[in-house]
Amino acid sequence: MAAATNKNCQILNILSDIFLRQTMALKTYWTFVIILITTGRSFADDDNHEMEEFLKREHSLSKPYQGVGSSSSSHWELMGDAMVTTEQVRLTTDMQSKQGAVWSRIPCHLRDWELQVHFKIHGQGKKNLNGDGLAIWYTKERMKKGPVFGNQDLFTGLGVFVDTYPNEEKHLERIFPFVLAMVGNGSISYDHERDGRPTELGGCNAMVRNLNHDTFIFIRYVRRRLTIMIDIDGQHEWRDCLDIPGVRLPQGYYFGASAVTGDLSDNHDVISLKLYQLTVLRSETEEKEEEDEITLPSVDNMDLLKMGENEEGWSSIAMFFTILFSMLGCFLLIVVGLIVYSHWNENRRKRFY
């Protein structure tokens, strides 16, 4: 009896020891989890704080849009049919023949910057029965009406376009809406009939109409490199659109946004434009390369970029004809082979008989 009691006590001690170890392990685990959560929050707070430090409020547009107005003290100015509501700056309503814009009054003298644009395009029109699109600008000129998404043609600076209507029907490989970028020097015209193809730096398709979630465009200019990304899937993830080195943009230009409708229409809304100053470390070599002041916008190796596009287009055509002639050649070889085999078989029969 005493031996059984001792054995039971040993079992209870072992179970108690296991329980205590598991309890300690759980405590250690949850302590580690709490430390991670706390650290993550502190890092997030630091990141947000750092972002706030670099946010340039005088160049940014956001709710409740107190800096928008016609007075000289306001930072942003409306043009055309644009209007301010509690939820957005509406550049155009879903009506025909409207154009509107919002422009910063303060020139930007930042060397490296990042612009995050929160926008919305929506309307009653079905696919390809809507138009025309929205543009984001960094240009020397401001408050100029014109045919390029509500802004003047022959502009000087950068234009990023969200083109929602295809004017050149024969290019079926491009899916609209389409985001593209162009750098103008005051003498380059935007080809509206060809959807800006002759002068574009590149772009990507972006299905941004009538979505129930937020849509964003990200424009970064660092070390004379232009990068554009989009977040349009509601996943809070940036997707690459274009990345072009050798883009030379002068300082002292103005940010703006414009939109236009024609026979087809849409609501074109800007919810916010947030500009961030970026602090970038440069080597002595980079500093020397960039010490010359840029006076006119330009893109290095623009001819090579266009040549690459032409080669890509010709390669598709060449591939089509190569496949076509290869199939015809194979068919011809089969026919010739059948004829030769037929003659050989006939001669063989004659010899046999």
Side-chain angles (χ1 to χ4, degrees):
M1 186 72 178
T5 303
N6 290 333
K7 190 174 184 179
N8 290 335
C9 289
Q10 289 177 357
I11 293 172
L12 288 174
N13 288 333
I14 291 171
L15 291 175
S16 177
D17 184 57
I18 293 172
F19 177 76
L20 288 174
R21 288 182 180 180
Q22 289 181 345
T23 303
M24 291 298 294
L26 285 173
K27 286 182 178 180
T28 304
Y29 170 77
W30 285 112
T31 302
F32 181 69
V33 169
I34 291 171
I35 291 172
L36 283 178
I37 292 173
T38 305
T39 305
R41 285 180 177 175
S42 65
F43 279 140
D45 292 340
D46 290 343
D47 289 342
N48 290 334
H49 180 65
E50 182 181 2
M51 190 66 73
E52 286 294 324
E53 286 181 350
F54 290 105
L55 177 65
K56 307 299 290 183
R57 297 187 181 279
E58 67 272 23
H59 295 292
S60 299
L61 175 69
S62 59
K63 298 177 184 179
Y65 310 116
Q66 293 178 346
V68 180
S70 56
S71 66
S72 58
S73 60
S74 61
H75 291 169
W76 293 83
E77 186 176 3
L78 299 178
M79 183 181 72
D81 299 308
M83 65 181 73
V84 178
T85 71
T86 56
E87 298 299 322
Q88 69 270 317
V89 176
R90 177 151 292 174
L91 302 177
T92 71
T93 56
D94 190 4
M95 299 178 66
Q96 295 178 338
S97 302
K98 299 291 183 181
Q99 62 175 311
V102 58
W103 283 95
S104 173
R105 290 177 175 271
I106 304 172
C108 176
H109 292 279
L110 299 181
R111 187 178 185 182
D112 303 292
W113 49 265
E114 177 181 293
L115 183 67
Q116 296 182 18
V117 184
H118 183 188
F119 70 100
K120 188 176 183 65
I121 300 177
H122 56 106
Q124 299 298 319
K126 296 181 180 179
K127 185 177 180 181
N128 291 340
L129 292 176
N130 57 276
D132 283 327
L134 176 148
I136 309 299
W137 302 99
Y138 175 70
T139 57
K140 180 180 179 180
E141 309 86 5
R142 60 181 296 274
M143 300 292 288
K144 303 287 186 181
K145 288 186 178 181
V148 185
F149 298 94
N151 190 33
Q152 72 169 49
D153 198 4
L154 304 177
F155 60 87
T156 308
L158 172 67
V160 178
F161 312 132
V162 185
D163 193 351
T164 58
Y165 182 77
N167 293 292
E168 194 173 16
E169 295 288 349
K170 65 180 181 179
H171 285 279
L172 300 178
E173 79 278 3
R174 176 164 292 187
I175 301 173
F176 282 76
F178 194 84
V179 176
L180 65 148
M182 171 183 170
V183 170
N185 59 11
S187 62
I188 302 174
S189 181
Y190 174 82
D191 192 338
H192 186 267
E193 296 302 320
R194 298 183 61 190
D195 299 314
R197 289 171 183 267
T199 54
E200 71 176 29
L201 300 180
C204 60
N205 67 293
M207 310 306 290
V208 296
R209 288 193 70 248
N210 291 337
L211 299 179
N212 294 324
H213 52 262
D214 295 332
T215 50
F216 299 87
I217 290 180
F218 168 99
I219 306 169
R220 174 180 287 169
Y221 182 67
V222 176
R223 293 194 182 99
R224 298 180 179 176
R225 189 180 196 97
L226 177 67
T227 303
I228 297 178
M229 294 187 285
I230 57 176
D231 176 9
I232 61 172
D233 299 320
Q235 303 298 320
H236 303 289
E237 295 179 355
W238 293 111
R239 173 160 65 89
D240 294 337
C241 186
L242 67 86
D243 185 21
I244 305 294
V247 178
R248 300 172 184 270
L249 298 176
Q251 300 178 26
Y253 284 9
Y254 298 90
F255 286 103
S258 66
V260 67
T261 66
D263 294 333
L264 303 174
S265 62
D266 256 337
N267 295 302
H268 297 92
D269 301 334
V270 171
I271 291 88
S272 67
L273 292 163
K274 293 183 178 180
L275 183 72
Y276 295 92
Q277 180 179 4
L278 302 179
T279 301
V280 180
L281 296 177
R282 287 175 167 81
S283 64
E284 292 184 3
T285 303
E286 289 175 329
E287 288 288 353
K288 290 180 179 179
E289 289 177 351
E290 298 182 18
E291 66 182 3
D292 295 335
E293 182 182 0
I294 301 172
T295 58
L296 194 65
S298 64
V299 180
D300 297 345
N301 303 320
M302 185 64 183
D303 293 337
L304 293 178
L305 288 174
K306 304 313 294 182
M307 188 183 300
E309 293 180 4
N310 292 333
E311 288 176 356
E312 182 178 354
W314 278 109
S315 64
S316 300
I317 297 173
M319 185 178 296
F320 170 76
F321 283 110
T322 300
I323 294 173
L324 177 62
F325 287 123
S326 297
M327 293 176 64
L328 290 175
C330 290
F331 179 75
L332 183 61
L333 287 174
I334 292 172
V335 171
V336 171
L338 289 174
I339 293 173
V340 171
Y341 176 77
S342 176
H343 283 293
W344 176 82
N345 195 30
E346 185 178 352
N347 291 333
R348 186 169 174 269
R349 287 181 181 180
K350 287 178 179 180
R351 290 177 185 177
F352 182 78
Y353 292 107

